[in-house]
Amino acid sequence: MSRRSLAAAVAVNVLLVVAAALTLFPLLWMLSASLMPSGEALSIPPRLLPSAPTLEHYRDLFARLDLAHSIGASLFVSLAATFFSVCFNAMAGYAFAKLPFAGRENLRRLFLAALVIPGQVAMLPLFLLLRQMHLVGSWWGVVVPGMASIFGIFLVGQYAQSIPDALLDAARVDGASELRIFTEIALPLCRPILVTLAVATFMGTWNDFLWPLVVLSDDRLYTLPVALAGLFGEHVQDTELMMAGAVVTVIPVMLVFLLLQRYYVAGLTAGGLKG
C-alpha cells in the first residue's frame, strides 16, 4: 500500500471513529446519568460518570409506574402493527411490482406524490375516521393507522421488481395459483426486505409518542412513552429519573435490532444495490 493510500485509510478510520463516538455519546451519557445520584446530571462542571453509582432512580421508576402493564401495552401495539404492516405492505407491494391492473402507473405516481405529505397533516382526518369506527380510546386505534403505509408498499414493491418474471411465469405454466406464487415464491425471496420493514415498523411504533397520546385517553391503556411522559410532567426536574425511564424504553428496541440486524442490513444493502 502506498503512503498516500495509507494516509487516506487512516483519515477515513479516524473520521469513522469520531462519528461513532459522537453517535454513541448521547446513549452512553443517558445510561451514565441514570446511575447518578439526584442533582448530579446537571451539576456544574458537568460530570460524565456518576460519583457514586446508584439504582435508586430505577427503583423509583418501578415504584411510581406500573411498568409491566405499560411495556405490555407497547409490546401489543408494536407487534400487532408489525404483523399487519408486513402482511398488507407485502401484498400491496407485490401487486404493484408484478401484477398488471388498470391504472397501476397512475396509482404508483399518486403514492409517490403522497410521500412528501407530512404525517401530521393527516392526523385530524385520521382521528375523525377512527372515531367513526369507535376505535378512539383503544389500542386498535394506535394499531390500525400503522397496518399499511405508502413507504412500506414502495419499499417492498421496489424489492419485488427484482424477482425474475420468468420464474413467476414458469410457476403459472405449472398450474400454480397467484396466491401460491405469492406465498411460496415471492414472500421467501422478499424475506430480507420484509425483515427490514418489520424492524423499522416495530421500532417506529414502540417509540411513537404523539399518536398514542392523541388516541388513548385512559391512563390504563397508555403505552410506555406516554406513561413515562406523564410521570416526567410531575417530576420534570428529576433528570436522573428521566434518563432511567429513557433507558427502560430503549432496551427492548435495541434487543430487537441486535437480534435482527443481520437481516436488517442485508435488506437495506440489497435494496441499495438492486437498481
Side-chain angles (χ1 to χ4, degrees):
M1 180 181 292
S2 66
R3 182 175 298 178
R4 187 173 181 179
S5 299
L6 179 61
V10 171
V12 169
N13 281 280
V14 169
L15 288 175
L16 290 176
V17 170
V18 172
L22 292 175
T23 304
L24 289 175
F25 177 76
L27 185 64
L28 295 177
W29 186 84
M30 177 181 70
L31 178 61
S32 175
S34 71
L35 300 174
M36 292 179 180
S38 296
E40 193 171 68
L42 298 180
S43 61
I44 303 295
R47 299 185 62 88
L48 295 179
L49 297 175
S51 59
T54 176
L55 295 176
E56 64 171 306
H57 306 296
Y58 289 94
R59 289 192 291 266
D60 193 19
L61 190 66
F62 278 86
R64 293 175 184 274
L65 289 178
D66 187 358
L67 280 182
H69 185 78
S70 299
I71 291 174
S74 288
L75 201 59
F76 171 77
V77 297
S78 300
L79 289 178
T82 301
F83 174 76
F84 288 111
S85 172
V86 170
C87 292
F88 293 147
N89 288 324
M91 288 189 288
Y94 174 76
F96 268 108
K98 293 299 179 183
L99 299 180
F101 57 86
R104 186 179 68 171
E105 291 305 318
N106 291 332
L107 195 56
R108 189 203 302 274
R109 294 190 188 97
L110 183 63
F111 273 27
L112 289 175
L115 276 175
V116 302
I117 300 175
Q120 290 80 1
V121 174
M123 289 187 71
L124 180 57
L126 189 58
F127 178 84
L128 297 176
L129 179 63
L130 289 174
R131 190 172 64 178
Q132 293 296 323
M133 299 169 65
H134 303 289
L135 293 179
V136 172
S138 73
W139 287 335
W140 287 108
V142 181
V143 173
V144 168
M147 285 184 173
S149 68
I150 296 175
F151 175 75
I153 294 171
F154 181 73
L155 188 69
V156 177
Q158 288 297 104
Y159 191 91
Q161 286 182 353
S162 64
I163 301 175
D165 291 333
L167 180 62
L168 305 180
D169 292 337
R172 294 187 181 101
V173 170
D174 288 341
S177 64
E178 291 298 333
L179 179 61
R180 187 177 180 186
I181 293 173
F182 172 68
T183 56
E184 297 186 10
I185 297 178
L187 282 185
L189 292 176
C190 290
R191 185 171 56 183
I193 202 65
L194 294 180
V195 173
T196 301
L197 177 63
V199 173
T201 304
F202 182 89
M203 290 193 300
T205 308
W206 180 278
N207 292 324
D208 191 16
F209 167 74
L210 183 58
W211 183 246
L213 180 66
V214 171
V215 174
L216 302 176
S217 55
D218 190 341
D219 56 3
R220 293 173 298 179
L221 299 176
Y222 281 174
T223 56
L224 186 57
V226 180
L228 290 172
L231 177 65
F232 300 150
E234 299 173 6
H235 306 276
V236 68
Q237 298 300 324
D238 199 338
T239 305
E240 295 79 9
L241 183 64
M242 295 173 62
M243 295 300 106
V247 171
V248 172
T249 305
V250 164
I251 287 176
V253 289
M254 288 190 65
L255 290 177
V256 170
F257 181 78
L258 290 175
L259 288 174
L260 299 175
Q261 65 168 332
R262 181 162 62 92
Y263 303 101
Y264 186 78
V265 174
L268 292 179
T269 305
L273 296 177
K274 183 180 70 62

